[in-house]
Amino acid sequence: MSVKVAVVTGSNKGIGLAIVRALCKQFQGDVYLTSRDVGRGEEAVKSLSSEGLSPKFHQLDINDLSSITAAAAFFKEKYGGVDILINNAAIAFKAADKTPFAVQAEVTLKTNFFATRDMLTHFLPLIKAGGRVVNVSSFVGARTLNNCSPALQQRFRSEDITEEELVGLMQRFVAKTKKGERKDDGWPETAYGVSKTGLTTLSMIQARRLSKERPNDGILLNACCPGWVRTDMAGDKAPKSPDEGAITPVYLALLPPGTTEPHGKFVSDKEVQTW
């Protein structure tokens, strides 16, 4: 039997680290903690080792295409593919940040949407039959969707939106923000929210494609919200600990073989949410 493998992006701290911790305890296979900074990644591995767990480390910067392709080649060569992929890496500007909103929009979407899409482009072909893909999104994306213009809501919710159309919408948000035309074009003022609206929609598009192109492989792909979690990103006022935030992503990653649902859904607290 070949060894199974799970890969978690952006997992040297916060929710990502908690996901790795839980997988080390519950998943029968190798678990890879990844981060763009080798030193921080190795420190995180050491901290989990002191808890008696044994994650492995691989450098992975989702904003660097060569880093993604190198990682994809490594997992293909060593494991013949990937059984679990959890796209957790993301950024968010603090509310008090003085960076111009147009810059925030570009930088936030670059990581949370475009770089995550690059990960999926290169890793989805490696997902083995029975595999699980979890994109860590946010309830902020769902809230943002409700604050978009009716025309935008219709496209984000439609069953026939293509990946190309979605990419165009994400580019349009950044372009309109730069020109100061964001509001007139029907977008709310939240780069993080729009990035997560895009990510959840992308998850639904790619799940439909998997069902069509690999109908017999039993792969499940979902987006989820970990909840409001105490992390560097979300602050210390949040009600959930990182370990509690990891519960839903890990639940989706470990859906038993033969399970057919949820697939292409947005899940929070282990429940499918209306989109």
Side-chain angles (χ1 to χ4, degrees):
M1 266 304 273
S2 61
V3 177
K4 289 193 161 193
V5 62
V7 180
V8 187
T9 69
S11 50
N12 60 294
K13 62 179 184 176
I15 297 168
L17 183 64
I19 290 171
V20 171
R21 178 186 288 117
L23 287 175
C24 283
K25 293 174 182 174
Q26 299 174 53
F27 174 63
Q28 301 300 308
D30 290 348
V31 181
Y32 276 81
L33 181 153
T34 72
S35 73
R36 61 184 172 201
D37 184 290
V38 174
R40 286 183 194 154
E42 289 171 346
E43 274 302 308
V45 165
K46 221 179 279 179
S47 77
L48 290 178
S49 301
S50 71
E51 296 175 27
L53 304 171
S54 36
K56 295 179 179 297
F57 175 71
H58 200 283
Q59 191 275 340
L60 176 56
D61 178 357
I62 70 165
N63 279 309
D64 176 357
L65 203 50
S66 63
S67 176
I68 291 177
T69 53
F74 168 81
F75 288 107
K76 187 173 187 182
E77 166 78 10
K78 186 169 168 75
Y79 296 93
V82 171
D83 298 281
I84 291 173
L85 171 63
I86 300 184
N87 285 308
N88 167 73
I91 62 161
F93 284 85
K94 302 273 191 244
D97 197 299
K98 296 286 187 278
T99 307
F101 186 67
V103 177
Q104 292 193 24
E106 187 162 32
V107 172
T108 304
L109 266 73
K110 182 175 184 287
T111 296
N112 297 4
F113 179 79
F114 292 104
T116 304
R117 177 177 174 245
D118 288 339
M119 270 298 297
L120 290 159
T121 300
H122 291 276
F123 273 78
L124 275 186
L126 302 182
I127 302 297
K128 296 180 188 175
R132 305 286 181 255
V133 180
V134 184
N135 295 327
V136 179
S137 190
S138 172
F139 62 87
V140 179
R143 192 188 297 156
T144 299
L145 175 60
N146 292 326
N147 290 327
C148 286
S149 68
L152 286 171
Q153 289 189 44
Q154 191 274 324
R155 290 321 296 150
F156 284 123
R157 291 193 171 108
S158 96
E159 295 270 319
D160 63 8
I161 185 173
T162 62
E163 190 167 323
E164 291 65 34
E165 182 187 351
L166 176 62
V167 165
L169 286 170
M170 294 291 103
Q171 290 167 336
R172 187 173 115 188
F173 168 72
V174 174
K176 293 291 185 185
T177 299
K178 283 181 175 172
K179 288 183 186 163
E181 297 169 1
R182 170 196 56 76
K183 199 172 174 187
D184 293 340
D185 199 41
W187 302 94
E189 191 177 1
T190 162
Y192 181 78
V194 170
S195 75
K196 293 301 193 178
T197 301
L199 180 58
T200 301
T201 306
L202 180 65
S203 306
M204 293 172 175
I205 291 168
Q206 294 191 330
R208 288 193 283 269
R209 189 187 304 151
L210 278 171
S211 299
K212 199 169 150 189
E213 293 175 2
R214 299 175 64 180
N216 304 316
D217 281 359
I219 298 168
L220 299 178
L221 185 157
N222 291 286
C224 72
C225 175
W228 188 19
V229 177
R230 289 188 295 280
T231 59
D232 289 350
M233 198 161 100
D236 53 10
K237 306 269 191 297
K240 284 186 175 182
S241 68
D243 288 325
E244 288 168 329
I247 290 172
T248 295
V250 170
Y251 155 75
L252 291 170
L254 298 178
L255 287 167
T259 307
T260 55
E261 284 290 327
H263 178 54
K265 298 289 191 279
F266 177 57
V267 180
S268 180
D269 290 326
K270 297 191 190 177
E271 298 285 335
V272 172
Q273 305 297 311
T274 321
W275 181 243

